Amino acid sequence: MIYFFLFFVIFLLGFLDVSYIVKSNFRAFCFCMIASIFILLGALKWKTGTDWIPYSSYFLNSNTYKDFNMTKFEKGYMFISFFIKQFTSNYSIFLGIFTFLTVAIKAKALLEDRYSQFILVALLIYMGYHQGDIFAVRQSLALSIILFSGKYIIDRKLIPFLICIVAASMFHNSSPIFLLAYPIAAIRWKTKIVFFILILSSFAGYLMTSLN
């Protein structure tokens, strides 16, 4: 129930955003408050999500570096899990830290001045598509880093962009495919072609998800 209520609040804020009713300071305040709620819910969730058992078992049943390293998970996720486990075995604390990293990086990317005009609409999309990363996993953090790298594509800064992709690859091995975004962004596309690619990509993504 709380997720539906939260979605309704964000939907209302998004409507006010596109109506130019809310001021920029209030817009940023609402964004940060709701992002904080995402982090809190991510820390407090328990036995939810399809990946709960493998992720929770990995953290709770691993103790030594060797234990954490004997897995299919990427090195970045392995290292964060191992590092936090040295201080606490409380899985909720781990979830809180991991969700904070995931949400904070996305928030930092979305709060860039160039995107901030309709920041609450972006928040609505974020809630609708990624559930605000309340159920954050390895791919969630990788996507956060990839989203953050977008500003380096726009500014044509190759080295920082590559560093971001390498960092994202440490959390999900599919991240390098985003390298294609750098040369593609330099091409001037017609609006019709852009919309066609977006629709085709959305359909392909949905189809691949359904098949899995």
Side-chain angles (χ1 to χ4, degrees):
M1 185 67 180
I2 188 172
Y3 301 119
F4 289 107
F5 176 74
L6 186 59
F7 185 83
F8 173 77
V9 170
I10 298 172
F11 178 82
L12 178 61
L13 289 172
F15 174 78
L16 296 175
D17 198 12
V18 297
S19 302
Y20 295 97
I21 295 176
V22 293
K23 296 182 179 180
S24 58
N25 290 339
F26 181 72
R27 184 185 296 132
F29 172 77
C30 290
F31 182 91
C32 292
M33 286 297 295
I34 293 175
S36 298
I37 293 173
F38 288 163
I39 295 170
L40 180 63
L41 291 175
L44 296 179
K45 72 175 184 285
W46 196 255
K47 293 185 179 180
T48 55
T50 56
D51 293 320
W52 174 264
I53 293 178
Y55 277 91
S56 60
S57 298
Y58 173 67
F59 182 81
L60 296 173
N61 297 330
S62 301
N63 295 293
T64 66
Y65 182 84
K66 183 178 180 180
D67 292 338
F68 280 98
N69 200 31
M70 294 177 62
T71 176
K72 64 180 181 179
F73 292 149
E74 291 81 0
K75 296 297 182 182
Y77 185 80
M78 181 273 293
F79 178 77
I80 285 182
S81 301
F82 171 73
F83 180 78
I84 296 175
K85 189 65 180 282
Q86 305 315 298
F87 298 94
T88 179
S89 296
N90 189 313
Y91 190 52
S92 291
I93 293 178
F94 170 81
L95 289 174
I97 295 172
F98 190 80
T99 306
F100 170 78
L101 290 172
T102 304
V103 175
I105 294 173
K106 278 196 178 78
K108 172 63 177 170
L110 292 174
L111 284 171
E112 287 282 325
D113 289 339
R114 71 191 80 191
Y115 308 133
S116 61
Q117 184 178 4
F118 296 118
I119 189 64
L120 297 177
V121 176
L123 191 66
L124 176 63
I125 297 171
Y126 182 26
M127 178 64 181
Y129 188 65
H130 288 287
Q131 294 82 48
D133 281 325
I134 295 169
F135 308 100
V137 290
R138 296 162 17 252
Q139 185 179 11
S140 306
L141 183 52
L143 285 172
S144 294
I145 300 171
I146 285 173
L147 180 63
F148 184 80
S149 75
K151 66 178 183 178
Y152 299 122
I153 297 177
I154 296 172
D155 296 335
R156 308 310 293 168
K157 295 182 178 179
L158 179 59
I159 300 302
F161 171 73
L162 292 176
I163 292 173
C164 287
I165 299 303
V166 171
S169 300
M170 297 295 288
F171 294 96
H172 205 277
N173 55 24
S174 65
S175 301
I177 196 170
F178 196 68
L179 288 169
L180 295 172
Y182 197 87
I184 289 175
I187 303 173
R188 294 193 175 276
W189 300 88
K190 292 183 178 179
T191 304
K192 292 181 179 179
I193 296 177
V194 171
F195 276 111
F196 174 75
I197 293 174
L198 285 173
I199 294 172
L200 183 63
S201 299
S202 299
F203 177 75
Y206 174 78
L207 185 61
M208 291 175 65
T209 303
S210 301
L211 291 176
N212 290 334

